[in-house]
Structures are given as C-alpha cells and as structure tokens.
Amino acid sequence: MTSFRKRTVQKPIRGTRTSPHTAQVITSSGNPYLDVVIGGGLPMGSICLIEEDRFMTHAKVLAKYFLAEGVLSKQEIFLGSLDDLPAEMLRRLPKPLTELETEVEQQEEQKAQAQGGAGAGGSENGLRIAWRYNDLPLVNSEHATAKIGHHFNLMEQMDSMMLYYANTTMWDDNYKGLDPVVLFESSSPTPTSLEQQPVEDAPPIPGEESTAPEIKTQQPQEESSASNNNNNNINNNSSSVTSSTKTGSQESQSQVFHNARYGNLLSDIQHLLRDESFVAGTKKNLCRVCLTSLGSPLWYDEHFGEDLIKFLTLLMASVRSCNSVCLITMPMHLIAKYDASLVPKIRQLVDYAIELESFAGSERETHPAFKEYSGLLHLHKMSALNTLAVHMPDTTDLAFKLRRKKFVIEKFHLPPELQESSTAAAAKPDSCISGLLSNSNASASLDF
C-alpha cells in the first residue's frame, strides 16, 4: 500500500480564474480598465453597483460590456429592466476584438501614453517626464498582465449568430412572472385536433346527414371521451405539479413585497439560479445577472424604499449561494431626491459601489482642466469577500473617457500647462482649479 494519489486538477469555470492575491475565483466585468480598478475582476457571488450619471449613458455602456463578456465566455445571462428593452439591448452589444486587433490596440495605447507623458509638454514647453515612468500603465501595474476578459469595439455590434447561441433570459414584466403553462390555459383553451374533440364540439361537415353516422360512431365517441377525460386529468395534474413550485414561490414573494414587480423579478432570478450547473462548489457554469435602471421612477410607489431594501437583501442571499455574479445600475441621484436615507442603505447591501459623475451639462464640460475626460469615477465601497484584506487601487482620483471604440478609466491628472485668461479665471472664483489657474501666468510653465 502506498500513499501516492494521482492529482486531479479540475477545470475552472469558463471565463474565470483564481486571483493570485486573494485566492478568489474572479471573472471579468467586460471592461479591462474596470477590472484593474477593482483588483482583477468581480469575485464570484458579488454584487457590483454602478450609480448612473444624470443622462444614464455611461452606466449602460458598462452594462453592455458585462453582458458581452458573458456571451463571449458562454455563460448564462439574465437581463432585467423596466426602462430598457432587453432584446434591443442585447442586439446592440459591442463586437469583440481579435487577438491581433487587441495587440495592435495595446501597442497604440503604449505609444500614446509615452507621447502623452514625455511629449505633452515636450520640446515645445520644456516639460519632460522621467524615463522610469514611461512604461507604467494608466491605472495600476499590478494586474497589467492579467489574462482575463476580452476587448470590445463599441463602434460595431456583435454578430447575430453569437447572440443566437447565447443562453439568455430576459425580463421586462410583460408576462408578470407567471408560468407560461398557466397563462396558456387561462387565456385560451388547449388546442386539440379534430380526432380528440367530442362530437358535440366538432364542426359540422356540410352536405352530410347526421342521423346514420351517429349510431355507428356512438361507441368510439364514448371511448374517445373517456380517453380524453383521462388525458385531461393527467395534463391537469402534470401542469399543477410543474407550476406549483414557481407559483408557490411567487405567492410567498407577493406577501413580502407590496409591489408585485419585485416579487416577479426575484422569483425569476431565483428560479434560474436553482439550476444544477450553478450549484456552489461545482465548476460547471457561471450565471451573470444584470439589472439596469433598478429604482427608476417606473418602480415608484408608496412603499418604494421598503421594497427596494428587501429586494436587495434577498438578491444578495441568492447570489451568494451559487456560482453567479450580479451588476446593477441605479439612478442614485433620483433616489437621493426621493429619500436621501436610502443611499447609504443601498450601498451597504452591495459589494462594490461605483459612481459615475458625468461632465455633460455642467461647467466642467468646457473647462480646460477636464477637456480630456468625460467624467469622474468615485469608489464608494470595496468589499472583502472570503479574504482578510480589501484591494484598493494606487489612487482613488480616477476619471473615465468615452471614446468612439472603448470606455477608458485612468488616473485623473491635470494637463502640464493650463492656459486661461485672467478674465475667465476671475469669472469662476468658486472653483478651486480656477483659483490655481489665476495664480499662474498664462505664458509661464508650471514648476514641478
């Protein structure tokens, strides 16, 4: 007898890997820049909250990244929304880049970064960055070589055949969350062929007498009616068995929530997560749950705050107990106007809370200090799941750019030289940046 045992290595779930720093199973959010900020990817069983900007454009882009990554990784997808059409949103997912296109894009980024660091002020203004900082990435060098996730092109849409073979479940409250069997039986009678229909319900045949055939076909009619009764009993029993579990859960959910939409959405999510392939401990598949514009005015009622907190609590319990990851976008600025006390409660019930502050429609949109960016990214919460230490990026001063082909997140920095007339600086005395600009001459370069 020997104590030698053959080592069996289980294959990881598609689209996931083990983090070398926290030993967690993580998956990509779809955006490589966001993955770097949160520590390589989203841990399994986590909920990421994206607080939408006022125009709700940039958060939807990150949601499309999240869904496109699930389609490309052949993972199960659940998409629910009241403000958007789920089918239309899936149809407009970005197209993935090939490996060659990804390498070319990374090389262009490195060249642009080197030119931006060394040649932004360059020979023209005499500003030059130190040579040892030229090769540093935009956000963090720790996960720069992580091979997880894919790159996408926002200008082109994903191939329809990829979406055809994707495992997707959509929810937009059209069917009110009921079982299709129950809907079919309640709305219209079961379609039966002419052979299974009784003679009384069968359509009359024109030009044929009904007296003589009645005597000949009386015995087969009795047999067919008896068989139909047995079949109806069997069908009723089977339909009641198949729909009893789901209708029972929906009845319990309707007792918890005042708004039936929360119960319908939660029951559909839980019904999908109960699948054998998502059982915790097994490495079969991963489910991506994406909810867009949750808590929008379409969800408002008298018990809005109470139902929303209950829904997030039960959703966290469901996501934690299986192989799944969830991304939610919420208009937090509207929720804060409805009830400011809901904002900290909502952030407490998620693992990652990321706010997108857009410059569109504000004074910063035309300010020379922010001309390179589309908005600021604020990290309100970073949780530690099954680990002792929380990953934190090198800096929390982050900004994002929405370019034509991609969504970029990088460190926020002021341009090397800010040129602004004294009259424009005096017109904005409340801004701290304008105060900094007013103290510097327009023709003089900054001292480092």
Side-chain angles (χ1 to χ4, degrees), residues 240-410:
S240 61
V241 170
T242 55
S243 61
S244 60
T245 57
K246 194 169 183 179
T247 54
S249 62
Q250 290 170 358
E251 290 178 358
S252 62
Q253 299 292 352
S254 62
Q255 296 176 0
V256 175
F257 301 101
H258 297 88
N259 190 348
R261 290 177 172 176
Y262 290 101
N264 296 335
L265 176 58
L266 184 63
S267 63
D268 288 351
I269 295 175
Q270 292 177 346
H271 181 73
L272 177 63
L273 296 181
R274 290 193 189 100
D275 193 85
E276 297 179 354
S277 58
F278 308 133
V279 177
T282 61
K283 295 185 177 181
K284 294 183 179 180
N285 201 357
L286 177 71
C287 182
R288 287 177 177 255
V289 180
C290 182
L291 306 178
T292 61
S293 298
L294 181 66
S296 64
L298 294 178
W299 296 86
Y300 285 0
D301 59 356
E302 297 179 356
H303 306 277
F304 169 71
E306 180 183 355
D307 287 344
L308 183 60
I309 296 301
K310 288 181 181 179
F311 175 80
L312 292 177
T313 304
L314 296 175
L315 178 64
M316 175 176 283
S318 301
V319 173
R320 285 280 199 277
S321 61
C322 61
N323 298 338
S324 62
V325 65
C326 181
L327 186 137
I328 306 175
T329 65
M330 299 181 66
M332 199 63 71
H333 60 283
L334 298 179
I335 297 177
K337 291 181 179 180
Y338 181 88
D339 188 0
S341 63
L342 290 176
V343 176
K345 295 179 182 178
I346 292 173
R347 292 173 180 171
Q348 189 66 26
L349 294 174
V350 298
D351 301 303
Y352 297 91
I354 302 173
E355 179 186 357
L356 300 179
E357 180 186 355
S358 176
F359 293 155
S362 63
E363 296 180 356
R364 296 181 178 181
E365 184 178 7
T366 58
H367 200 283
F370 305 101
K371 63 181 180 180
E372 297 182 0
Y373 304 103
S374 301
L376 299 178
L377 188 141
H378 304 285
L379 298 176
H380 292 291
K381 184 179 180 182
M382 302 277 287
S383 299
L385 295 178
N386 302 323
T387 183
L388 297 177
V390 180
H391 170 79
M392 291 299 295
D394 293 341
T395 178
T396 56
D397 297 330
L398 300 173
F400 63 89
K401 303 177 183 178
L402 182 56
R403 299 178 179 175
R404 294 188 305 169
K405 295 184 178 181
K406 56 185 176 180
F407 187 93
V408 181
I409 301 174
E410 61 182 35

Side-chain angles (χ1 to χ4, degrees), residues 427-438:
K428 301 176 182 179
D430 296 335
S431 177
C432 61
I433 297 179
S434 62
L436 175 62
L437 297 176
S438 61

Side-chain angles (χ1 to χ4, degrees), residues 17-278:
R17 71 177 181 91
T18 303
S19 174
H21 303 281
T22 60
Q24 294 174 310
V25 179
I26 59 177
T27 184
S28 175
S29 64
N31 186 278
Y33 302 96
L34 182 59
D35 291 340
V36 172
V37 172
I38 61 180
L42 294 172
M44 188 180 299
S46 63
I47 299 178
C48 180
L49 171 64
I50 305 296
E51 301 180 9
E52 298 177 351
D53 55 292
R54 297 184 181 274
F55 295 95
M56 296 180 295
T57 55
H58 303 92
K60 300 295 176 64
V61 174
L62 292 179
K64 290 180 180 179
Y65 273 112
F66 182 79
L67 296 172
E69 180 65 30
V71 173
L72 211 60
S73 301
K74 298 181 180 180
Q75 298 170 350
E76 190 78 21
I77 293 176
F78 182 93
L79 176 58
S81 178
L82 286 180
D83 294 62
D84 304 317
L85 295 176
E88 185 67 20
M89 191 172 181
L90 288 175
R91 197 176 296 112
R92 296 183 178 181
L93 293 182
K95 179 182 178 181
L97 298 179
T98 60
E99 295 181 358
L100 181 59
E101 293 175 346
T102 304
E103 293 178 358
V104 172
E105 182 181 0
Q106 292 177 354
Q107 291 176 0
E108 291 179 354
E109 289 181 359
Q110 293 177 359
K111 291 180 181 180
Q113 182 183 357
Q115 293 176 359
S123 59
E124 181 180 355
N125 293 328
L127 296 177
R128 188 177 297 275
I129 194 171
W131 60 270
R132 59 181 177 272
Y133 298 128
N134 286 334
D135 296 332
L136 291 180
L138 296 176
V139 180
N140 190 358
S141 61
E142 186 176 3
H143 301 281
T145 59
K147 296 180 180 180
I148 186 175
H150 302 83
H151 294 258
F152 299 92
N153 184 4
L154 295 176
M155 290 292 293
E156 300 181 8
Q157 297 181 2
M158 186 176 291
D159 187 10
S160 58
M161 293 303 297
M162 297 181 65
L163 297 174
Y164 178 78
Y165 290 105
N167 298 324
T168 58
T169 302
M170 294 176 290
W171 182 92
D172 55 0
D173 200 38
N174 283 340
Y175 299 101
K176 308 299 180 184
L178 295 178
D179 195 358
V181 178
V182 179
L183 278 176
F184 186 76
E185 292 180 353
S186 60
S187 60
S188 60
T190 55
T192 54
S193 60
L194 294 177
E195 295 179 357
Q196 295 177 351
Q197 288 182 354
V199 177
E200 297 178 356
D201 298 336
I205 302 176
E208 185 175 353
E209 297 180 357
S210 60
T211 55
E214 286 179 357
I215 301 174
K216 295 181 181 179
T217 59
Q218 183 176 4
Q219 186 176 359
Q221 289 173 5
E222 295 178 356
E223 294 178 357
S224 62
S225 62
S227 63
N228 286 330
N229 292 329
N230 294 330
N231 292 330
N232 290 331
N233 293 331
I234 295 174
N235 293 331
N236 291 330
N237 292 332
S238 61
S239 63
S240 61
V241 170
T242 55
S243 61
S244 60
T245 57
K246 194 169 183 179
T247 54
S249 62
Q250 290 170 358
E251 290 178 358
S252 62
Q253 299 292 352
S254 62
Q255 296 176 0
V256 175
F257 301 101
H258 297 88
N259 190 348
R261 290 177 172 176
Y262 290 101
N264 296 335
L265 176 58
L266 184 63
S267 63
D268 288 351
I269 295 175
Q270 292 177 346
H271 181 73
L272 177 63
L273 296 181
R274 290 193 189 100
D275 193 85
E276 297 179 354
S277 58
F278 308 133

